[in-house]
Amino acid sequence: MITIYIDGSAYEVNEDVILGHVLHEVKSAKFGSSCRGLFCGMGICFECVVKIDDDSNRRSCMTKVYPGMQVKTNSL
Amino acid sequence: MNVLNVDVLVVGSGPSGLAAALEAHRNGANTVIVDSFARAGGQYWMQSNHGLERNDTQMQEGANFITNCENLGIKTITDAEVWGILPKYRVFIQQGLGDSIEIAARALVICTGAHDFVMPFAGWTLPGVMTAGAGQRYVKMYGKPPGDKIVLAGSGAFLWAVAATIVKAGGNLEAMVESNTNQFRLFGLIGRYPSRWTETRRLLSPVLRSGVQRLNGYCIDYAQGGDRIEAVKLRQVSNSDRVAGQELEMETDCLLVSHGFRPITEMTALLRCEHQFDTRKGGWYCKTDPETGATSIDNVYAAGEVTGVTGAQSAMIEGALAGLGVSEKLGLTRNGFKRKRARLIKRQLRTVRFADGLAELFELNKNAVPRIDDNTLVCRCEDVTWGDVLKSWDDGAQNLQAVKYWTRLGMGRCQGRICGVAVSRLLANQFGLDPRIFGFNHPRLPLRPVPVNVVHDAFAQKTCR
C-alpha cells in the first residue's frame, strides 16, 4: 500500500492502480467545476482531468498512482 | 530531439496492431509499435495488474500474443500518445510527461481501435454514469466492481462481455438492459458459426448462471441523482411513435451504457485518408483495401476497428493482412506470402459475415435512443444543449462543422469524439435524414493536448534541418 493525497486528504491505495479508479471509489472526488465523474475511462473524453503535483489537465484514467502524489480534483 | 528511424510504425497494440507488427516483422521490416496505455494489449486484450489473467481466457490469449511479439524483438513504446504526424512520415509522440520523440517511418499502420459511444440523455453527466467499456476496464484494472448496484444498459453483444466481467468479479449487477428483442435471432446466428461457440459460452454462461435480471426491449429514458446517480428511468421500446411503452425505475449507483462503438479516426483523418460511413460499422471509418489494408494515402495502412467495427477476430486478420500488405509495398515479402494472404482473405470473409450479422441484429433503432429535450446537454465539454443545436440548425448550421462554429459543440477537450456521432444521429432522427450528410469534425494538430513547449521544440527542430 502507498499513500496519496486527494484534495489534501491522505488515502492508502494499492500500488499500480489507476488514479481515476481510486477517485471513482472515493465518492467525494468530483472533476472540474461541473462535478463530473469518470466517463470513458480510456483517455478519450477528458472529463476526469485533475491537477497532479504541479501539472494541470492530467487525465486521471491514464495515470498510475505513485507514493505521495498530490491530486487536486477541481483545478479549473 | 532524438529521431528513431523505422520501416514500419504501428499505432496501437490491440489485436490488429500486434498482428500487423508480427507479420511486418516476420517479413523483415524494422517495426515499432506505439501505444497510449501503460501496457500492450489494447482494450480487448487489456492486461490487468491483479493476476486476473490466470482465469481469464481472453486476457491470457492477449498475454501470449504480446509475449510472442516481445520475444521476437518487436518493441512496443507504451504510455506514448501520437500528437502529430507530418508527411512521409514523421510521427511525434509524447511519452508520459516527457519531451517529444520523433519517429521517422517509411510506412504507417494505423490500428487505433474504437471507443464506446453513448447517446446523450438527461443525467448522463452525473458521476456514476459511465461507458460500459469504462466499467469493464475498472473491474479488470482495479479488481473490484465500479458500484454496489450496477445497471448495464444499451445495445450490443458487448453488453454480454461487460456483464460477464462484472459477475465473474463478484459484482452485483442489478440488471442488464438491452433495447433490442432479438434473442432468438441472435442464437440462430451464433448457431450457424460453430467457431464462435466457445467464445459465446465463455461470455454467456457466467451471466446466465448468475441469474442477473435481463430486460429486453427496454432503453434508458433518463438518469436521476444529486451528487451522483441514484436512479435510472427505463422505458419499453415502442415501435410506434404514438404509443408510449411501459416505464420503470431502478435504483442504481452505477449506470454503464454502450450504444455501440466509434472508430478512432483522428489519425487517418489527419492524414486525409478516404473515409466511409456505415452506422453498422460505427459511423465514419477509414476505407481500406480489404486484401492489403492499404488506405487511399500512399504508404499508410490501417487495420482493426478504425477500418469499421467488426470485432477482435476480424481485427486480428485485418492486422495480419495489413502487415503483409505493408511488407509487400516496402519490397520485403518472403516466399509464400501470397498463399498466406489468400488463406487470411478466405477466413476474413466468414468472420466479417458474422460481424455484419451481429451488427444488423443490434442496429440502434431510433425508437430505442434515450429521450432528450431542449435542456439535455449533448456536448459535455462545452455544455451545449440539444436546444442550442436545434437553434443553430434553424440558423442555417447544416453539418457538424457548422454546428461547431455556431455552438462550440465538439470544440472542447474531447474534440467531438463523444458528441459528434451522437449529434449526427440525433439530427438525422429528428429530421429524417441520413447521418452521413453531417460529416465529421476534422482533427487538427495537436491530436492530444500537449504542452506548447513540446510542440515548439518538435517543430523548431524541423526548420533547422
Side-chain angles (χ1 to χ4, degrees):
Chain A
M1 299 290 268
I2 58 168
T3 305
I4 67 169
Y5 299 88
I6 301 170
D7 296 327
S9 308
Y11 291 87
E12 297 284 309
V13 300
N14 281 323
E15 283 169 64
D16 261 9
V17 295
I18 292 168
L19 175 62
H21 296 159
V22 176
L23 293 173
H24 175 83
E25 196 182 17
V26 177
K27 304 205 170 181
S28 61
K30 310 276 195 297
F31 303 113
S33 50
S34 20
C35 296
R36 299 286 170 77
L38 195 67
F39 185 66
C40 80
M42 55 180 283
I44 300 288
C45 75
F46 286 75
E47 292 264 9
C48 68
V49 291
V50 293
K51 188 172 183 181
I52 301 172
D53 297 332
D54 292 325
D55 296 303
S56 302
N57 295 322
R58 300 280 309 279
R59 281 164 291 174
S60 59
C61 71
M62 300 291 280
T63 310
K64 276 191 180 179
V65 296
Y66 54 82
M69 89 195 298
Q70 292 277 354
V71 182
K72 203 162 172 294
T73 56
N74 190 349
S75 63
L76 294 177
Chain B
M1 185 171 39
N2 291 326
V3 180
L4 180 64
N5 285 289
V6 298
D7 292 324
V8 177
L9 175 66
V10 179
V11 183
S13 66
S16 58
L18 287 167
L22 181 62
E23 217 45 67
H25 174 88
R26 276 180 183 154
N27 283 289
N30 174 10
T31 306
V32 161
I33 312 174
V34 293
D35 193 277
S36 58
F37 289 93
R39 293 178 75 176
Q43 301 304 309
Y44 184 77
W45 279 341
M46 188 187 309
Q47 300 297 303
S48 92
N49 303 315
H50 303 283
L52 278 179
E53 62 274 16
R54 279 191 298 276
N55 50 24
D56 185 321
T57 318
Q58 191 173 316
M59 223 182 264
Q60 188 59 56
E61 180 187 80
N64 294 342
F65 207 112
I66 294 163
T67 311
N68 187 22
C69 287
E70 278 170 2
N71 291 344
L72 289 168
I74 302 170
K75 185 175 162 57
T76 303
I77 305 174
T78 54
D79 201 15
E81 275 187 299
V82 174
W83 61 263
I85 305 176
L86 293 179
K88 301 283 167 181
Y89 287 106
R90 302 176 56 209
V91 180
F92 297 96
I93 62 179
Q94 193 189 20
Q95 195 174 22
L97 284 179
D99 290 337
S100 237
I101 305 169
E102 180 180 337
I103 301 179
R106 293 172 66 198
L108 304 176
V109 188
I110 311 286
C111 303
T112 42
H115 62 82
D116 312 65
F117 98 86
V118 172
M119 295 299 283
F121 51 90
W124 75 315
T125 51
L126 286 167
V129 178
M130 44 180 159
T131 68
Q136 191 185 40
R137 183 158 185 256
Y138 189 98
V139 177
K140 288 187 175 178
M141 302 303 282
Y142 204 44
K144 48 180 127 175
D148 297 327
K149 280 180 130 180
I150 304 169
V151 174
L152 176 62
S155 187
F158 184 54
L159 294 186
W160 286 93
V162 177
T165 304
I166 293 169
V167 299
K168 269 164 48 188
N172 176 26
L173 186 58
E174 281 283 296
M176 176 173 156
V177 185
E178 161 63 59
S179 63
N180 276 303
T181 47
N182 48 24
Q183 305 302 305
F184 290 111
R185 286 177 64 207
L186 173 64
F187 292 125
L189 174 74
I190 293 165
R192 292 197 297 279
Y193 291 83
S195 62
R196 312 303 287 248
W197 290 354
T198 318
E199 184 190 357
T200 306
R201 197 175 315 120
R202 204 171 71 215
L203 298 181
L204 262 55
S205 65
V207 182
L208 297 175
R209 254 203 323 268
S210 73
V212 162
Q213 180 187 4
R214 287 185 297 118
L215 285 168
N216 290 317
Y218 279 80
C219 71
I220 296 170
D221 217 11
Y222 55 91
Q224 291 171 302
D227 284 352
R228 293 179 74 88
I229 183 171
E230 287 158 21
V232 57
K233 197 81 162 213
L234 304 169
R235 68 161 203 272
Q236 203 169 15
V237 178
S238 164
N239 287 323
S240 151
D241 288 341
R242 275 169 298 177
V243 184
Q246 202 183 344
E247 292 181 9
L248 64 97
E249 189 176 303
M250 238 177 232
E251 270 183 46
T252 177
D253 61 347
C254 182
L255 174 64
L256 303 179
V257 193
S258 178
H259 289 117
F261 291 100
R262 170 196 166 257
I264 301 176
T265 53
E266 281 95 295
M267 267 167 244
T268 50
L270 184 74
L271 289 158
R272 294 287 187 266
C273 299
E274 191 183 337
H275 288 68
Q276 286 179 318
F277 186 93
D278 184 347
T279 46
R280 289 179 184 175
K281 291 189 187 304
W284 291 101
Y285 63 92
C286 180
K287 184 188 164 193
T288 48
D289 175 351
E291 303 197 345
T292 64
T295 70
S296 63
I297 299 292
D298 199 30
N299 282 13
V300 178
Y301 290 72
E305 309 295 50
V306 70
T307 67
V309 176
T310 47
Q313 303 306 319
S314 129
M316 239 180 297
I317 304 171
E318 285 164 10
L321 283 167
L324 286 174
V326 76
S327 307
E328 185 185 24
K329 184 72 199 293
L330 297 178
L332 290 169
T333 40
R334 293 195 310 195
N335 287 341
F337 89 94
K338 285 199 170 146
R339 265 202 318 278
K340 180 155 202 179
R341 173 182 287 165
R343 257 202 325 273
L344 287 166
I345 290 169
K346 201 170 153 208
R347 243 174 73 206
Q348 178 66 342
L349 282 177
R350 198 168 158 75
T351 313
V352 168
R353 251 201 318 272
F354 178 74
D356 287 347
L358 269 187
E360 189 199 334
L361 285 181
F362 288 107
E363 185 149 28
L364 193 61
N365 180 320
K366 77 176 170 63
N367 294 316
V369 300
R371 177 176 9 180
I372 53 165
D373 62 30
D374 282 1
N375 297 319
T376 310
L377 281 188
V378 286
C379 168
R380 301 169 63 102
C381 303
E382 296 292 321
D383 291 359
V384 180
T385 63
W386 178 234
D388 296 333
V389 173
L390 288 178
K391 188 170 180 312
S392 76
W393 175 271
D394 284 342
D395 288 341
Q398 309 245 313
N399 61 46
L400 267 190
Q401 201 71 27
V403 171
K404 177 176 170 178
Y405 295 148
W406 245 249
T407 64
R408 296 190 62 83
L409 177 134
M411 215 177 266
R413 279 181 296 209
C414 95
Q415 289 288 290
R417 288 185 284 267
I418 302 296
C419 59
V421 193
V423 166
S424 297
R425 287 202 180 208
L426 289 171
L427 284 170
N429 289 350
Q430 176 93 9
F431 299 112
L433 298 167
D434 185 333
R436 90 187 62 208
I437 67 164
F438 303 105
F440 57 84
N441 287 312
H442 286 277
R444 305 271 182 254
L445 289 180
L447 292 172
R448 289 288 186 275
V450 280
V452 72
N453 64 306
V454 171
V455 180
H456 175 265
D457 292 351
F459 292 135
Q461 194 89 4
K462 187 196 169 205
T463 51
C464 295
R465 274 192 200 167

